[in-house]
Amino acid sequence: MPSKSSQLVFVYEAGPCGYWLYRSLTHKGHVGWVVAPSLIPTKPGDRVNTNRRDAITLARLMRSGDLTPVHVPRVEDEAIRDLCRARDDAIRDLQAAKFRLKALLLRHDIRYTGRAPWGPAHLRWLSEVGCPTPAQQIVFQE
């Protein structure tokens, strides 16, 4: 059934791709909505999802007024979010690397006898550690 509305409204689910599409559409003068997937009403037994079905569902829900748009952050706010996420990822990577290094040293009974791990003295000690085989030394250096 064709719409009788004179205004075209673009609706899409928020996802991992960010808000560039919303910004592009609104920059061109179109109306765009971004909706959170968790806020889209669904039927209890409806588990089959395809792009076509999802698009038809979004169009029907938009027309009936059953969708709620999410707040689209400014580019600067999204940049700060990206910075915070990158910092969190770097900290997680560092913790994982420390864990792997400690596990390697433990497997080879190489023990640090100093006081504070990961301090300057510990880092100096790590730079002097040698492994029994060249392959293990490569693993240690990585």
Side-chain angles (χ1 to χ4, degrees), residues 114-133:
R115 299 184 117 196
W118 308 113
H122 183 246
L123 296 177
R124 272 193 305 280
W125 174 79
L126 282 173
S127 69
E128 297 167 0
V129 168
C131 291
T133 69

Side-chain angles (χ1 to χ4, degrees), residues 15-108:
C17 296
Y19 300 102
W20 67 269
L21 181 58
Y22 170 84
R23 292 188 184 107
S24 176
L25 291 170
T26 55
H27 181 72
K28 293 177 182 177
H30 300 294
V31 176
W33 278 27
V34 181
V35 294
S38 61
L39 297 178
I40 298 173
T42 56
K43 296 175 187 169
D46 192 16
R47 291 196 177 118
V48 178
N49 289 349
T50 64
N51 288 340
R52 181 179 170 84
R53 273 189 176 179
D54 290 348
I56 291 170
T57 301
L58 284 175
R60 285 185 179 142
L61 292 170
M62 180 68 192
R63 195 179 307 163
S64 67
D66 291 333
L67 291 179
T68 305
V70 298
H71 169 72
V72 176
R74 296 178 311 150
V75 174
E76 296 82 9
D77 296 333
E78 197 170 12
I80 294 297
R81 280 185 185 174
D82 290 339
L83 182 62
C84 292
R85 287 177 181 147
R87 182 180 183 279
D88 289 342
D89 290 344
I91 288 171
R92 215 173 298 117
D93 291 345
L94 178 62
Q95 289 171 338
K98 286 180 177 181
F99 179 79
R100 285 191 305 270
L101 179 59
K102 287 169 67 174
L104 174 71
L105 295 174
L106 182 62
R107 279 195 308 270
H108 297 288

